Amino acid sequence: MGRSRRTLPEELLLLALDPATGTTAQPQSLDLGLAGAQLVELALAGRIAPDGDRIAVVMPRPTGDPTLDSALELLRRRGSPVRAVHWIGGPRLGLRQVYLSHLERCGMVHAVEGQMCGVLPTTRYQATETAISRDIRARLDSAIRTGVPPDPRTAALAALAHAVGLGKHLYPGNEGRSSRSRLRDLIRHDPMGGLVAHAVMDVQNGVAAQPRRSQPASGSSRQPGPVPMQPRRSGMARVAAH
């Protein structure tokens, strides 16, 4: 997989990164969204395909991206299609930090060390390639503003942004209400993105145990709910960006 184009997990993370504070919006749900973004990226690369509400590996050949290939190998080892909601809700949290570290190595973000309450070490991240972040945002804004059906990658990015609750971060206040509504509606333009976005919202809403009923083509109006459980942290552990 060439590096001339950012992967969907990278794009989603850059969308969530606040340039003023160096923290990420919606940190609890963002890990789920990144796991879902990996699935969509693997589908775009022809490695997996939806099978109802399940994900099946159709080509196990590596993509060349180590993080994506790790996910692909885990899916391959399952031996049979796995429900998207079970995969996304599985014990693979921490993807936010994995991708932040990856973007730092690539020179996309710069880590800024600090302290919380003068005691706990913290790390915040500032984007260094701001032109790329602006381009990602411009694609999303254009899809919302023009009403022209976006390409599958942009549609999936919009669906994931809605699913993890980035709408109010990207389009805040009353003036952003119509943009948030159109962001939600873009979910219908990519079947794989829609499947994954619904799975992300199901995990947040705690309804992963039951199979999903088929959804109408127009998408869902549900808003993402809170993540029921947060990973336990040690009190003196290094505090990652949030």
Side-chain angles (χ1 to χ4, degrees):
M1 179 176 294
R3 299 304 300 152
S4 60
R5 182 173 61 189
R6 311 315 308 178
T7 65
L8 272 172
E10 293 166 350
E11 291 190 332
L12 183 65
L13 183 54
L14 288 170
L15 267 184
L17 191 63
D18 189 320
T21 66
T23 62
T24 52
Q26 301 300 114
Q28 296 178 34
S29 56
L30 191 55
D31 274 326
L32 302 176
L34 291 171
Q38 286 185 319
L39 292 180
V40 180
E41 189 66 50
L42 287 170
L44 289 171
R47 297 324 195 257
I48 65 175
D51 181 5
D53 67 346
R54 296 174 183 268
I55 303 298
V57 175
V58 295
M59 183 189 297
R61 180 165 56 87
T63 66
D65 181 296
T67 310
L68 290 175
D69 290 339
S70 176
L72 179 62
E73 176 62 14
L74 288 173
L75 285 166
R76 186 194 66 80
R77 289 178 183 175
R78 292 292 186 97
S80 60
V82 59
R83 287 185 65 202
V85 70
H86 288 164
W87 173 262
I88 290 168
R92 286 178 317 284
L93 298 181
L95 279 178
R96 180 166 43 101
Q97 188 57 52
V98 168
Y99 273 103
L100 281 169
S101 298
H102 167 71
L103 290 178
E104 184 183 13
R105 290 192 299 271
C106 293
M108 293 288 297
V109 301
H110 171 66
V112 179
E113 305 297 333
Q115 288 185 331
M116 178 182 293
C117 302
V119 179
L120 295 178
T122 65
T123 305
R124 299 180 185 274
Y125 293 86
Q126 301 291 337
T128 54
E129 296 288 343
T130 55
I132 293 178
S133 297
R134 287 196 301 269
D135 176 69
I136 296 168
R137 177 63 183 269
R139 282 169 39 216
L140 209 58
D141 289 345
S142 177
I144 288 173
R145 183 177 63 254
T146 65
V148 176
D151 62 275
R153 179 175 294 276
T154 302
L157 181 62
L160 289 162
H162 166 69
V164 301
L166 288 184
K168 290 184 178 180
H169 166 70
L170 298 170
Y171 307 104
N174 288 333
E175 64 275 15
R177 184 177 300 172
S178 61
S179 293
R180 293 196 298 271
S181 177
R182 288 193 289 271
L183 179 71
R184 178 199 66 209
D185 291 342
L186 288 175
I187 201 170
R188 72 183 187 274
H189 287 293
D190 179 60
M192 183 66 179
L195 167 66
V196 169
H198 284 304
V200 169
M201 290 186 284
D202 277 351
V203 173
Q204 293 179 83
N205 292 324
V207 295
Q210 297 299 322
R212 160 169 291 282
R213 291 194 294 262
S214 60
Q215 294 293 323
S218 59
S220 171
S221 60
R222 288 180 303 165
Q223 299 296 324
V227 177
M229 183 177 296
Q230 301 180 30
R232 187 174 299 173
R233 298 173 183 264
S234 171
M236 295 302 293
R238 178 188 179 93
V239 180
H242 62 281

